[in-house]
Amino acid sequence: MHRLTLVAVLGIAIARPGASQPARASHDTRFITSDPGATDEWPCFSPDGKTVLFSRTTDGGKHWELFVVPTAGGAARPLTNAPLPVSATRPDWSSRNNKIAFTGTSGDGFSGVWLIDPDGTHARALELTGLTEVVFYPTWYPDGDHMIVRDVGAQA
């Protein structure tokens, strides 16, 4: 089981160059998910900071679904009302256009970038040209209209 942990950094003490002590941070830690039969990975915040979006598996990583939980913690719930046709991992929530991008991996192991609305509707694959069929980690540019992805097919 891997639970999501929220760490609030309250202060940071930085060591001066040449000093023998490392940098230290004081922080509070609290778990915001607690399902003992699940593994939770790849958290990201909603644009308003009230919700954490993440991927969850309950079958040892064979299939992943998108879940949300309040930042304060509580019951996690699936983002969608019905299972997606792909395993959904590595989500990133755009702060500009309120869209969610994620890696969608099909049963044959190919992966691409998918988009979904924050209410769990309108899941769709993006058609990308010039990339292999193994693309991960979609991350939104600050403008909210573009993203960067990692193409790992054939070690590209």
Side-chain angles (χ1 to χ4, degrees):
M1 170 186 68
H2 294 275
R3 299 179 290 177
L4 295 180
T5 307
L6 185 64
V7 178
V9 177
L10 302 176
I12 298 175
I14 305 291
R16 287 172 285 164
S20 61
Q21 294 187 11
R24 295 182 189 167
S26 61
H27 56 272
D28 288 334
T29 303
R30 64 185 159 83
F31 293 102
I32 61 171
T33 64
S34 61
D35 186 332
T39 297
D40 300 335
E41 297 281 347
W42 304 291
C44 65
F45 285 100
S46 62
D48 65 9
K50 295 179 181 179
T51 304
V52 175
L53 169 68
F54 61 97
S55 295
R56 173 175 278 180
T57 184
T58 56
D59 63 5
K62 294 176 186 144
H63 189 77
W64 295 83
E65 291 288 336
L66 296 174
F67 274 72
V68 290
V69 65
T71 304
R77 66 171 181 77
L79 178 67
T80 61
N81 290 330
L84 294 168
V86 291
S87 193
T89 60
R90 302 163 185 91
D92 191 45
W93 203 324
S94 171
S95 60
R96 299 282 299 211
N97 68 19
N98 206 25
K99 297 285 183 210
I100 296 166
F102 64 93
T103 300
T105 305
S106 62
D108 58 9
F110 294 118
S111 61
V113 177
W114 282 62
L115 293 179
I116 192 167
D117 293 342
D119 63 1
T121 61
H122 302 107
R124 61 227 178 256
L126 285 182
E127 290 190 31
L128 304 173
T129 57
L131 299 175
T132 69
E133 294 177 322
V134 187
V135 179
F136 294 113
Y137 295 104
T139 303
W140 291 99
Y141 267 84
D143 69 7
D145 292 324
H146 299 89
M147 67 179 68
I148 189 169
V149 299
R150 181 170 181 220
D151 185 347
V152 297
Q155 300 302 310

